[in-house]
PDB file of all heavy atoms in Angstrom:
ATOM      1  N   THR A1189       0.853  -1.188  -0.003  1.00 77.00           N
ATOM      2  CA  THR A1189      -0.001   0.004   0.003  1.00 77.00           C
ATOM      3  C   THR A1189       0.908   1.236   0.033  1.00 77.00           C
ATOM      4  O   THR A1189       1.822   1.299   0.813  1.00 77.00           O
ATOM      5  CB  THR A1189      -0.885   0.021   1.254  1.00 77.00           C
ATOM      6  OG1 THR A1189      -1.687  -1.153   1.225  1.00 77.00           O
ATOM      7  CG2 THR A1189      -1.812   1.248   1.260  1.00 77.00           C
ATOM      8  N   VAL A1190       0.601   2.174  -0.910  1.00 74.00           N
ATOM      9  CA  VAL A1190       1.382   3.372  -1.022  1.00 74.00           C
ATOM     10  C   VAL A1190       0.453   4.599  -0.879  1.00 74.00           C
ATOM     11  O   VAL A1190      -0.647   4.578  -1.515  1.00 74.00           O
ATOM     12  CB  VAL A1190       2.102   3.420  -2.405  1.00 74.00           C
ATOM     13  CG1 VAL A1190       2.866   4.735  -2.512  1.00 74.00           C
ATOM     14  CG2 VAL A1190       3.027   2.183  -2.569  1.00 74.00           C
ATOM     15  N   ARG A1191       0.791   5.475  -0.085  1.00 70.00           N
ATOM     16  CA  ARG A1191      -0.009   6.735   0.050  1.00 70.00           C
ATOM     17  C   ARG A1191       0.697   7.838  -0.733  1.00 70.00           C
ATOM     18  O   ARG A1191       1.846   8.175  -0.450  1.00 70.00           O
ATOM     19  CB  ARG A1191      -0.144   7.127   1.510  1.00 70.00           C
ATOM     20  CG  ARG A1191      -1.078   8.250   1.744  1.00 70.00           C
ATOM     21  CD  ARG A1191      -1.270   8.509   3.204  1.00 70.00           C
ATOM     22  NE  ARG A1191      -2.171   9.562   3.349  1.00 70.00           N
ATOM     23  CZ  ARG A1191      -3.448   9.393   3.759  1.00 70.00           C
ATOM     24  NH1 ARG A1191      -3.908   8.253   4.062  1.00 70.00           N
ATOM     25  NH2 ARG A1191      -4.236  10.448   3.884  1.00 70.00           N
ATOM     26  N   LEU A1192      -0.005   8.386  -1.685  1.00 67.00           N
ATOM     27  CA  LEU A1192       0.557   9.497  -2.490  1.00 67.00           C
ATOM     28  C   LEU A1192      -0.094  10.771  -2.141  1.00 67.00           C
ATOM     29  O   LEU A1192      -1.313  10.918  -2.266  1.00 67.00           O
ATOM     30  CB  LEU A1192       0.360   9.190  -3.983  1.00 67.00           C
ATOM     31  CG  LEU A1192       0.964   7.931  -4.573  1.00 67.00           C
ATOM     32  CD1 LEU A1192       0.522   7.738  -6.013  1.00 67.00           C
ATOM     33  CD2 LEU A1192       2.478   8.078  -4.494  1.00 67.00           C
ATOM     34  N   PRO A1193       0.598  11.802  -1.711  1.00 63.00           N
ATOM     35  CA  PRO A1193      -0.008  13.080  -1.476  1.00 63.00           C
ATOM     36  C   PRO A1193      -0.460  13.690  -2.769  1.00 63.00           C
ATOM     37  O   PRO A1193       0.246  13.598  -3.797  1.00 63.00           O
ATOM     38  CB  PRO A1193       1.077  13.881  -0.782  1.00 63.00           C
ATOM     39  CG  PRO A1193       2.369  13.249  -1.274  1.00 63.00           C
ATOM     40  CD  PRO A1193       2.057  11.790  -1.463  1.00 63.00           C
ATOM     41  N   VAL A1194      -1.599  14.340  -2.812  1.00 62.00           N
ATOM     42  CA  VAL A1194      -2.091  15.009  -3.977  1.00 62.00           C
ATOM     43  C   VAL A1194      -2.039  16.474  -3.692  1.00 62.00           C
ATOM     44  O   VAL A1194      -2.459  16.945  -2.625  1.00 62.00           O
ATOM     45  CB  VAL A1194      -3.513  14.552  -4.299  1.00 62.00           C
ATOM     46  CG1 VAL A1194      -4.088  15.272  -5.491  1.00 62.00           C
ATOM     47  CG2 VAL A1194      -3.596  13.074  -4.526  1.00 62.00           C
ATOM     48  N   LEU A1195      -1.478  17.238  -4.623  1.00 59.00           N
ATOM     49  CA  LEU A1195      -1.351  18.694  -4.467  1.00 59.00           C
ATOM     50  C   LEU A1195      -2.280  19.394  -5.377  1.00 59.00           C
ATOM     51  O   LEU A1195      -2.567  18.934  -6.505  1.00 59.00           O
ATOM     52  CB  LEU A1195       0.069  19.094  -4.793  1.00 59.00           C
ATOM     53  CG  LEU A1195       1.183  18.483  -3.916  1.00 59.00           C
ATOM     54  CD1 LEU A1195       2.562  18.994  -4.401  1.00 59.00           C
ATOM     55  CD2 LEU A1195       0.968  18.769  -2.421  1.00 59.00           C
ATOM     56  N   THR A1196      -2.827  20.501  -4.863  1.00 56.00           N
ATOM     57  CA  THR A1196      -3.660  21.366  -5.703  1.00 56.00           C
ATOM     58  C   THR A1196      -2.757  22.162  -6.679  1.00 56.00           C
ATOM     59  O   THR A1196      -1.538  22.121  -6.455  1.00 56.00           O
ATOM     60  CB  THR A1196      -4.454  22.355  -4.809  1.00 56.00           C
ATOM     61  OG1 THR A1196      -3.529  23.198  -4.159  1.00 56.00           O
ATOM     62  CG2 THR A1196      -5.323  21.640  -3.823  1.00 56.00           C
ATOM     63  N   PRO A1197      -3.314  22.793  -7.678  1.00 57.00           N
ATOM     64  CA  PRO A1197      -2.482  23.593  -8.620  1.00 57.00           C
ATOM     65  C   PRO A1197      -1.610  24.606  -7.824  1.00 57.00           C
ATOM     66  O   PRO A1197      -0.542  24.965  -8.321  1.00 57.00           O
ATOM     67  CB  PRO A1197      -3.477  24.214  -9.506  1.00 57.00           C
ATOM     68  CG  PRO A1197      -4.645  23.279  -9.512  1.00 57.00           C
ATOM     69  CD  PRO A1197      -4.708  22.734  -8.082  1.00 57.00           C
ATOM     70  N   SER A1198      -2.082  25.126  -6.709  1.00 57.00           N
ATOM     71  CA  SER A1198      -1.308  26.076  -5.930  1.00 57.00           C
ATOM     72  C   SER A1198      -0.214  25.465  -5.120  1.00 57.00           C
ATOM     73  O   SER A1198       0.552  26.131  -4.431  1.00 57.00           O
ATOM     74  CB  SER A1198      -2.219  26.919  -5.054  1.00 57.00           C
ATOM     75  OG  SER A1198      -2.798  26.125  -4.054  1.00 57.00           O
ATOM     76  N   GLY A1199      -0.102  24.079  -5.123  1.00 58.00           N
ATOM     77  CA  GLY A1199       0.939  23.420  -4.362  1.00 58.00           C
ATOM     78  C   GLY A1199       0.510  23.036  -2.937  1.00 58.00           C
ATOM     79  O   GLY A1199       1.345  22.429  -2.234  1.00 58.00           O
ATOM     80  N   GLU A1200      -0.728  23.264  -2.578  1.00 59.00           N
ATOM     81  CA  GLU A1200      -1.205  22.891  -1.223  1.00 59.00           C
ATOM     82  C   GLU A1200      -1.626  21.432  -1.246  1.00 59.00           C
ATOM     83  O   GLU A1200      -2.056  20.861  -2.280  1.00 59.00           O
ATOM     84  CB  GLU A1200      -2.385  23.733  -0.811  1.00 59.00           C
ATOM     85  CG  GLU A1200      -2.066  25.169  -0.715  1.00 59.00           C
ATOM     86  CD  GLU A1200      -3.296  26.045  -0.450  1.00 59.00           C
ATOM     87  OE1 GLU A1200      -4.200  25.516   0.255  1.00 59.00           O
ATOM     88  OE2 GLU A1200      -3.313  27.177  -0.975  1.00 59.00           O
ATOM     89  N   ASP A1201      -1.590  20.755  -0.084  1.00 58.00           N
ATOM     90  CA  ASP A1201      -2.048  19.405   0.073  1.00 58.00           C
ATOM     91  C   ASP A1201      -3.570  19.400  -0.202  1.00 58.00           C
ATOM     92  O   ASP A1201      -4.250  20.221   0.290  1.00 58.00           O
ATOM     93  CB  ASP A1201      -1.787  18.822   1.448  1.00 58.00           C
ATOM     94  CG  ASP A1201      -0.398  18.333   1.634  1.00 58.00           C
ATOM     95  OD1 ASP A1201       0.236  17.972   0.611  1.00 58.00           O
ATOM     96  OD2 ASP A1201       0.080  18.243   2.760  1.00 58.00           O
ATOM     97  N   PHE A1202      -4.045  18.381  -0.984  1.00 58.00           N
ATOM     98  CA  PHE A1202      -5.439  18.218  -1.204  1.00 58.00           C
ATOM     99  C   PHE A1202      -5.907  17.081  -0.308  1.00 58.00           C
ATOM    100  O   PHE A1202      -5.528  15.920  -0.439  1.00 58.00           O
ATOM    101  CB  PHE A1202      -5.734  17.830  -2.645  1.00 58.00           C
ATOM    102  CG  PHE A1202      -7.140  17.497  -2.918  1.00 58.00           C
ATOM    103  CD1 PHE A1202      -8.183  18.396  -2.824  1.00 58.00           C
ATOM    104  CD2 PHE A1202      -7.498  16.213  -3.176  1.00 58.00           C
ATOM    105  CE1 PHE A1202      -9.447  18.044  -3.049  1.00 58.00           C
ATOM    106  CE2 PHE A1202      -8.820  15.848  -3.456  1.00 58.00           C
ATOM    107  CZ  PHE A1202      -9.799  16.765  -3.356  1.00 58.00           C
ATOM    108  N   SER A1203      -6.826  17.379   0.684  1.00 60.00           N
ATOM    109  CA  SER A1203      -7.236  16.343   1.578  1.00 60.00           C
ATOM    110  C   SER A1203      -8.740  16.024   1.392  1.00 60.00           C
ATOM    111  O   SER A1203      -9.380  15.371   2.201  1.00 60.00           O
ATOM    112  CB  SER A1203      -7.029  16.728   3.031  1.00 60.00           C
ATOM    113  OG  SER A1203      -7.652  17.999   3.320  1.00 60.00           O
ATOM    114  N   GLY A1204      -9.335  16.552   0.298  1.00 69.00           N
ATOM    115  CA  GLY A1204     -10.758  16.360   0.092  1.00 69.00           C
ATOM    116  C   GLY A1204     -10.997  15.019  -0.630  1.00 69.00           C
ATOM    117  O   GLY A1204     -10.180  14.131  -0.643  1.00 69.00           O
ATOM    118  N   VAL A1205     -12.203  14.863  -1.169  1.00 85.00           N
ATOM    119  CA  VAL A1205     -12.576  13.687  -1.930  1.00 85.00           C
ATOM    120  C   VAL A1205     -13.034  14.128  -3.298  1.00 85.00           C
ATOM    121  O   VAL A1205     -13.293  15.247  -3.557  1.00 85.00           O
ATOM    122  CB  VAL A1205     -13.641  12.888  -1.205  1.00 85.00           C
ATOM    123  CG1 VAL A1205     -13.173  12.344   0.120  1.00 85.00           C
ATOM    124  CG2 VAL A1205     -14.937  13.686  -1.014  1.00 85.00           C
ATOM    125  N   VAL A1206     -13.019  13.124  -4.257  1.00 86.00           N
ATOM    126  CA  VAL A1206     -13.512  13.352  -5.575  1.00 86.00           C
ATOM    127  C   VAL A1206     -14.770  12.558  -5.812  1.00 86.00           C
ATOM    128  O   VAL A1206     -14.785  11.342  -5.466  1.00 86.00           O
ATOM    129  CB  VAL A1206     -12.422  13.055  -6.598  1.00 86.00           C
ATOM    130  CG1 VAL A1206     -12.873  13.240  -8.022  1.00 86.00           C
ATOM    131  CG2 VAL A1206     -11.161  13.825  -6.327  1.00 86.00           C
ATOM    132  N   VAL A1207     -15.817  13.157  -6.344  1.00 90.00           N
ATOM    133  CA  VAL A1207     -17.109  12.481  -6.570  1.00 90.00           C
ATOM    134  C   VAL A1207     -17.558  12.737  -7.982  1.00 90.00           C
ATOM    135  O   VAL A1207     -17.120  13.681  -8.627  1.00 90.00           O
ATOM    136  CB  VAL A1207     -18.151  12.970  -5.551  1.00 90.00           C
ATOM    137  CG1 VAL A1207     -17.741  12.748  -4.101  1.00 90.00           C
ATOM    138  CG2 VAL A1207     -18.540  14.408  -5.753  1.00 90.00           C
ATOM    139  N   PRO A1208     -18.534  11.915  -8.446  1.00 90.00           N
ATOM    140  CA  PRO A1208     -19.100  12.154  -9.713  1.00 90.00           C
ATOM    141  C   PRO A1208     -19.812  13.517  -9.756  1.00 90.00           C
ATOM    142  O   PRO A1208     -20.459  13.939  -8.803  1.00 90.00           O
ATOM    143  CB  PRO A1208     -20.121  11.068  -9.926  1.00 90.00           C
ATOM    144  CG  PRO A1208     -19.677   9.950  -9.013  1.00 90.00           C
ATOM    145  CD  PRO A1208     -19.023  10.678  -7.882  1.00 90.00           C
ATOM    146  N   LEU A1209     -19.645  14.272 -10.815  1.00 92.00           N
ATOM    147  CA  LEU A1209     -20.251  15.634 -10.980  1.00 92.00           C
ATOM    148  C   LEU A1209     -21.738  15.551 -10.816  1.00 92.00           C
ATOM    149  O   LEU A1209     -22.377  16.446 -10.332  1.00 92.00           O
ATOM    150  CB  LEU A1209     -19.847  16.198 -12.323  1.00 92.00           C
ATOM    151  CG  LEU A1209     -20.062  17.680 -12.535  1.00 92.00           C
ATOM    152  CD1 LEU A1209     -19.501  18.539 -11.460  1.00 92.00           C
ATOM    153  CD2 LEU A1209     -19.487  18.096 -13.879  1.00 92.00           C
ATOM    154  N   ASP A1210     -22.356  14.420 -11.287  1.00 92.00           N
ATOM    155  CA  ASP A1210     -23.848  14.285 -11.187  1.00 92.00           C
ATOM    156  C   ASP A1210     -24.300  14.223  -9.777  1.00 92.00           C
ATOM    157  O   ASP A1210     -25.532  14.377  -9.538  1.00 92.00           O
ATOM    158  CB  ASP A1210     -24.267  12.982 -11.956  1.00 92.00           C
ATOM    159  CG  ASP A1210     -24.094  13.090 -13.454  1.00 92.00           C
ATOM    160  OD1 ASP A1210     -24.012  14.249 -13.954  1.00 92.00           O
ATOM    161  OD2 ASP A1210     -24.134  12.061 -14.135  1.00 92.00           O
ATOM    162  N   ALA A1211     -23.455  13.943  -8.787  1.00 93.00           N
ATOM    163  CA  ALA A1211     -23.874  13.864  -7.428  1.00 93.00           C
ATOM    164  C   ALA A1211     -24.014  15.232  -6.756  1.00 93.00           C
ATOM    165  O   ALA A1211     -24.637  15.377  -5.650  1.00 93.00           O
ATOM    166  CB  ALA A1211     -22.898  13.027  -6.612  1.00 93.00           C
ATOM    167  N   VAL A1212     -23.467  16.292  -7.371  1.00 95.00           N
ATOM    168  CA  VAL A1212     -23.453  17.604  -6.815  1.00 95.00           C
ATOM    169  C   VAL A1212     -24.493  18.526  -7.424  1.00 95.00           C
ATOM    170  O   VAL A1212     -24.599  18.615  -8.647  1.00 95.00           O
ATOM    171  CB  VAL A1212     -22.029  18.230  -6.971  1.00 95.00           C
ATOM    172  CG1 VAL A1212     -21.931  19.578  -6.257  1.00 95.00           C
ATOM    173  CG2 VAL A1212     -20.942  17.299  -6.389  1.00 95.00           C
ATOM    174  N   THR A1213     -25.215  19.195  -6.543  1.00 93.00           N
ATOM    175  CA  THR A1213     -26.138  20.207  -6.997  1.00 93.00           C
ATOM    176  C   THR A1213     -25.456  21.585  -6.786  1.00 93.00           C
ATOM    177  O   THR A1213     -25.053  21.906  -5.667  1.00 93.00           O
ATOM    178  CB  THR A1213     -27.491  20.187  -6.232  1.00 93.00           C
ATOM    179  OG1 THR A1213     -28.048  18.930  -6.446  1.00 93.00           O
ATOM    180  CG2 THR A1213     -28.399  21.267  -6.711  1.00 93.00           C
ATOM    181  N   ILE A1214     -25.305  22.332  -7.868  1.00 91.00           N
ATOM    182  CA  ILE A1214     -24.584  23.574  -7.812  1.00 91.00           C
ATOM    183  C   ILE A1214     -25.584  24.709  -8.063  1.00 91.00           C
ATOM    184  O   ILE A1214     -26.095  24.900  -9.150  1.00 91.00           O
ATOM    185  CB  ILE A1214     -23.448  23.662  -8.839  1.00 91.00           C
ATOM    186  CG1 ILE A1214     -22.474  22.450  -8.631  1.00 91.00           C
ATOM    187  CG2 ILE A1214     -22.747  24.966  -8.833  1.00 91.00           C
ATOM    188  CD1 ILE A1214     -21.429  22.341  -9.693  1.00 91.00           C
ATOM    189  N   GLY A1215     -25.842  25.436  -7.008  1.00 88.00           N
ATOM    190  CA  GLY A1215     -26.798  26.585  -7.057  1.00 88.00           C
ATOM    191  C   GLY A1215     -26.022  27.896  -7.006  1.00 88.00           C
ATOM    192  O   GLY A1215     -24.833  27.944  -6.926  1.00 88.00           O
ATOM    193  N   THR A1216     -26.775  29.016  -7.099  1.00 88.00           N
ATOM    194  CA  THR A1216     -26.107  30.293  -7.009  1.00 88.00           C
ATOM    195  C   THR A1216     -25.628  30.639  -5.621  1.00 88.00           C
ATOM    196  O   THR A1216     -24.716  31.410  -5.471  1.00 88.00           O
ATOM    197  CB  THR A1216     -27.097  31.369  -7.478  1.00 88.00           C
ATOM    198  OG1 THR A1216     -28.308  31.303  -6.709  1.00 88.00           O
ATOM    199  CG2 THR A1216     -27.436  31.201  -8.955  1.00 88.00           C
ATOM    200  N   GLU A1217     -26.293  30.111  -4.603  1.00 90.00           N
ATOM    201  CA  GLU A1217     -25.882  30.434  -3.247  1.00 90.00           C
ATOM    202  C   GLU A1217     -25.329  29.297  -2.430  1.00 90.00           C
ATOM    203  O   GLU A1217     -24.771  29.468  -1.361  1.00 90.00           O
ATOM    204  CB  GLU A1217     -27.102  31.026  -2.504  1.00 90.00           C
ATOM    205  CG  GLU A1217     -27.600  32.353  -3.097  1.00 90.00           C
ATOM    206  CD  GLU A1217     -28.685  32.983  -2.302  1.00 90.00           C
ATOM    207  OE1 GLU A1217     -28.871  32.640  -1.101  1.00 90.00           O
ATOM    208  OE2 GLU A1217     -29.360  33.854  -2.869  1.00 90.00           O
ATOM    209  N   GLU A1218     -25.533  28.007  -2.922  1.00 93.00           N
ATOM    210  CA  GLU A1218     -24.980  26.871  -2.172  1.00 93.00           C
ATOM    211  C   GLU A1218     -24.675  25.743  -3.152  1.00 93.00           C
ATOM    212  O   GLU A1218     -25.237  25.670  -4.242  1.00 93.00           O
ATOM    213  CB  GLU A1218     -25.975  26.448  -1.132  1.00 93.00           C
ATOM    214  CG  GLU A1218     -27.308  25.912  -1.695  1.00 93.00           C
ATOM    215  CD  GLU A1218     -28.256  25.498  -0.543  1.00 93.00           C
ATOM    216  OE1 GLU A1218     -27.868  25.403   0.658  1.00 93.00           O
ATOM    217  OE2 GLU A1218     -29.405  25.164  -0.907  1.00 93.00           O
ATOM    218  N   GLN A1219     -23.854  24.896  -2.703  1.00 95.00           N
ATOM    219  CA  GLN A1219     -23.506  23.656  -3.404  1.00 95.00           C
ATOM    220  C   GLN A1219     -23.681  22.507  -2.396  1.00 95.00           C
ATOM    221  O   GLN A1219     -23.213  22.654  -1.253  1.00 95.00           O
ATOM    222  CB  GLN A1219     -22.045  23.644  -3.889  1.00 95.00           C
ATOM    223  CG  GLN A1219     -21.739  24.718  -4.930  1.00 95.00           C
ATOM    224  CD  GLN A1219     -21.456  26.070  -4.300  1.00 95.00           C
ATOM    225  OE1 GLN A1219     -20.811  26.159  -3.283  1.00 95.00           O
ATOM    226  NE2 GLN A1219     -21.964  27.149  -4.904  1.00 95.00           N
ATOM    227  N   PHE A1220     -24.286  21.422  -2.848  1.00 96.00           N
ATOM    228  CA  PHE A1220     -24.558  20.369  -1.858  1.00 96.00           C
ATOM    229  C   PHE A1220     -24.651  18.989  -2.535  1.00 96.00           C
ATOM    230  O   PHE A1220     -24.798  18.837  -3.725  1.00 96.00           O
ATOM    231  CB  PHE A1220     -25.847  20.624  -1.024  1.00 96.00           C
ATOM    232  CG  PHE A1220     -27.083  20.777  -1.924  1.00 96.00           C
ATOM    233  CD1 PHE A1220     -27.884  19.629  -2.199  1.00 96.00           C
ATOM    234  CD2 PHE A1220     -27.531  21.999  -2.339  1.00 96.00           C
ATOM    235  CE1 PHE A1220     -28.983  19.744  -2.975  1.00 96.00           C
ATOM    236  CE2 PHE A1220     -28.637  22.126  -3.121  1.00 96.00           C
ATOM    237  CZ  PHE A1220     -29.450  20.999  -3.381  1.00 96.00           C
ATOM    238  N   VAL A1221     -24.510  17.991  -1.690  1.00 96.00           N
ATOM    239  CA  VAL A1221     -24.696  16.582  -2.035  1.00 96.00           C
ATOM    240  C   VAL A1221     -25.661  16.025  -1.053  1.00 96.00           C
ATOM    241  O   VAL A1221     -25.927  16.650  -0.003  1.00 96.00           O
ATOM    242  CB  VAL A1221     -23.396  15.762  -2.037  1.00 96.00           C
ATOM    243  CG1 VAL A1221     -22.423  16.293  -3.062  1.00 96.00           C
ATOM    244  CG2 VAL A1221     -22.785  15.668  -0.665  1.00 96.00           C
TER     245      VAL A1221
END
């Protein structure tokens, strides 16, 4: 098992998760799953 750090384009550690775009509702005032 290997753990690879993922960096954002700005070079910061990315500790979030990645989900299908269809799972996210993107509104003008809020975004939610």
